[in-house]
Amino acid sequence: MQSILRWSLAHSGGDGQDERGEGPSRIDPAKLDPGVIDMILGKPDAELMKEDLAVAVDQGRSEEERVQALDHFEMLVEQIDNANDLGKLKMWEPLQSLLTSETSTPAIQAQVLWVIGTALQNNPAAQDDYMQHHPLPTLLHFLTPSPSSTLQTRSKAIYALSGLLKHNSPAVTALGESGWTKLRDALQDPEITVRRKTMFLLSTLLTPNETSSASTTTAANIHGPNSLPNPTEEPPVSHATTQPIHANSHAAQLANPSRSSTSPLTIQAFTAHGILDAVISSLVSPMPYGEDGDEISPDVDFEEKAVRLLYTYIVICKVHLPNDQKKTIRAWISVNLDKAGSERQLADDLCLDVEELNVLVGSLNV
């Protein structure tokens, strides 16, 4: 650092001595090379974001250059302040345009979806800014398998949708029939990774959020999983009704704590749009998957997520199932119990404890 500073002084016309050579001279800041200052202090994140986005939208750059720029951009928007600057710097529109541009390759689109998903995580302010650009039809379009789609684009589309929909009931309401249908169909995606991510998203939207204030209080600048409150700690008391609400990332949630509750809307959609039927079918009669579509063995990870969703729906949310659905799930559990050899082993296989398994089975009595 000292050598850089000395170099800067030397190249700015100063030698570090006053005119008598007896002490440090005052350096005119206007004479310092801005490039040297950037080397010493680093460029502001806003400038780095502008530079990365300029490369990303430059059709004259190679795919590799554009993807690398977006990769660095994604790292910057992990910081919640930088994510909120996307709206202030009017960056949401060019990002959204990259998703629909004919010059954007699947690799570029997947990277943009990654940026979007990261910026939206646990950030109601960014969610609201992004929703102004009506992004749902575009994001949902990526879920449809086609010759031009890839595992990465569909997987990252689920990631972006997760960032937008979690704890955001207005966005869940905006899904509408077409959106729920897309998510339902994604449970039969040719790629098992997409199915897993979709099942996990549906389960997250379904899970009741009794203490919505707990999701609104985070002091960390990083807004990913590590910034969420520790579930072992008592949820902080919300003062939304007794204290002024200042402009910040969670002001919308403080003003309307019910905004974070997506469970009632998801329960309605499960019935209205056949989501539960699709969940049960994907569990008991899974479609083949794999590179050649010839993998027919059950996917353990997917089964765990599906059973956890069913447990949440039936036991936690206390939704009554028709007898035919109960019989189908119970028969699947019975077959897998025979394979496992014991309740404890089956519970371990499904990432439940024995009590949870027994409660689930008991709830399936006709």
Side-chain angles (χ1 to χ4, degrees), residues 151 154-156 158-159 162 187 192-203 302 305:
L151 165 61
R154 298 200 300 280
S155 179
K156 288 298 188 290
I158 290 291
Y159 177 64
S162 296
L187 292 172
I192 194 64
T193 302
V194 177
R195 297 186 209 175
R196 294 178 193 143
K197 291 178 181 291
T198 303
M199 188 68 76
F200 184 76
L201 171 58
L202 291 172
S203 187
F302 182 81
K305 289 177 169 57

Side-chain angles (χ1 to χ4, degrees), residues 105-106 109 141-151 153-154 190:
T105 64
Q109 291 171 329
H141 174 75
F142 281 101
L143 298 185
T144 303
S146 68
S148 61
S149 72
T150 66
L151 165 61
T153 55
R154 298 200 300 280

Side-chain angles (χ1 to χ4, degrees), residues 62 64 82 131 173 180 274 334:
S62 68
E64 181 179 3
N82 291 342
M131 280 296 290
T173 300
W180 285 110
S334 179

